[in-house]
Amino acid sequence: MTFTGRTTVITGASSGIGRALAVALAARGARVGVTARRADRLADLAREIRATGGTVETAPADVADRPALLAAVRTLEARLGPADLLIANAGMSYHTGAAEMNVPRVEEIMRVNFLGVVYAVEAVLPGMIERGHGHVVGMSSLAAFKGFPGAAAYCASKAALNAYLEGLRIELRSKGVAVTTVCPGFVNTPIVANNPAMPFLMEPDEAARRILRALRRRPGVFSFPWPLAVLMKLAKWAPDWLVAKKVPTKRGEGEKKN
Ligand SMILES: NC(=O)c1ccc[n+]([C@@H]2O[C@H](COP(=O)([O-])OP(=O)(O)OC[C@H]3O[C@@H](n4cnc5c(N)ncnc54)[C@H](OP(=O)(O)O)[C@@H]3O)[C@@H](O)[C@H]2O)c1
């Protein structure tokens, strides 16, 4: 599959991986519809893409606000045509330690990282099923494979997302709609700004390049970079004492990571 002439909707496109994906897709000839909360950043992105001859439309929304997100996607589809590809990428992270339970934080992480994807899928999936083609992509994380101390809620949100997308993928096999779960390792964006250690760190442009290369074959799951993906799969079976020793949890309770 190529991206030329395809309508793509990307959530969380005002920064980091989503932004890099928007630029890269526009450069490959896709019509790109972008959303996020920060309208000024989306406007900057649109200027940059249009300056190089690309096609882009913006519609700001909070992915945790279901009616607002549905309306934003409707706006983008009205201007660009029905979505062929959704990249539900918006996400956030807070430190969520066990010493002081912060349930509102946990709820917020689940609303954005999990329900925000569900709402985005809701916005495009009926049309894709009706048309008999489409590609739904959810931005998960290698953190989905293991519950890490201090990041329990983030890991849980991504693990929930993996299971949700897996179920969708199997169900949609016969409907012509592909579903891909993308699990990146560390990418140099504001979300990981306070992380103490980031092996195999890569830049957003490089992450976008790898993601788009993989999406052309519409895989069920794309985990990268592969050495870290292997390590994370092994970490699933690591004893708790070893993980507790190796994973630092120095950050303060409730501190925002992005
Ligand atoms: N960076 C990494 O190492 C890494 C690794 C694995 C997975 N990921 C995942 O990759 C995705 C993108 O993250 P990133 O690294 O590119 O971080 P980022 O640069 O902080 O970008 C996060 C994006 O999500 C948007 N967003 C956050 N909350 C939102 C909300 N409530 N409604 C709408 N948009 C919202 C932000 O836009 P606004 O603030 O303008 O709304 C921003 O565009 C996330 O799902 C993250 O979990 C990142």
Side-chain angles (χ1 to χ4, degrees):
M1 192 195 93
T2 66
F3 300 108
T4 313
R6 308 264 176 181
T7 298
T8 305
V9 171
I10 308 173
T11 71
S14 62
S15 169
I17 300 170
R19 190 184 203 287
L21 282 168
V23 170
L25 277 161
R28 287 161 175 73
R31 293 188 294 271
V32 184
V34 290
T35 183
R37 289 165 303 178
R38 287 172 291 179
D40 55 334
R41 299 258 183 139
L42 293 179
D44 286 348
L45 170 64
R47 263 192 297 278
E48 183 181 324
I49 289 176
R50 286 182 188 130
T52 58
T55 303
V56 62
E57 293 290 341
T58 67
D62 183 336
V63 293
D65 180 338
R66 184 179 166 209
L69 184 63
L70 287 174
V73 176
R74 292 281 164 276
T75 301
L76 295 172
E77 288 191 310
R79 294 180 190 159
L80 295 168
D84 300 298
L85 171 65
L86 165 71
I87 304 184
N89 160 80
M92 45 85 66
S93 179
Y94 280 100
H95 177 85
T96 49
E100 289 172 50
M101 285 287 292
N102 191 336
V103 174
R105 285 279 186 249
V106 177
E107 289 173 338
E108 186 185 355
I109 291 170
M110 291 304 291
R111 265 196 302 274
V112 174
N113 292 3
F114 177 63
L115 290 175
V117 176
V118 175
Y119 301 156
V121 171
E122 178 191 24
V124 300
L125 190 55
M128 287 182 176
I129 291 175
E130 202 180 304
R131 294 186 295 279
H133 71 88
H135 191 177
V136 168
V137 177
M139 196 61 66
S140 183
S141 169
L142 291 181
F145 300 154
K146 179 82 184 172
F148 282 109
Y154 181 77
C155 294
S157 71
K158 296 299 188 181
L161 182 56
N162 280 24
Y164 179 76
L165 293 173
E166 183 175 52
L168 277 188
R169 183 172 73 244
I170 296 167
E171 189 177 340
L172 291 169
R173 270 174 71 85
S174 58
K175 309 259 191 249
V177 180
V179 178
T180 298
T181 309
V182 176
C183 298
F186 294 107
V187 183
N188 192 12
T189 72
I191 211 172
V192 293
N194 300 318
N195 270 31
M198 293 189 276
F200 305 103
L201 181 70
M202 72 180 71
E203 293 305 313
D205 291 352
E206 172 61 12
R209 197 183 62 75
R210 291 192 193 203
I211 291 167
L212 293 186
R213 194 176 55 194
L215 291 186
R216 291 169 64 116
R217 29 176 196 91
R218 296 156 64 115
V221 180
F222 174 55
S223 304
F224 71 102
W226 72 263
L228 195 57
V230 169
L231 275 176
M232 290 298 291
K233 281 172 190 164
L234 291 174
K236 183 80 203 144
W237 309 108
D240 290 353
W241 65 263
L242 183 62
V243 180
K245 200 169 152 185
K246 293 286 177 199
V247 180
T249 52
K250 291 195 199 82
R251 204 174 290 112
E253 171 62 39
E255 184 180 330
K256 200 174 185 220
K257 288 172 74 187
N258 65 338

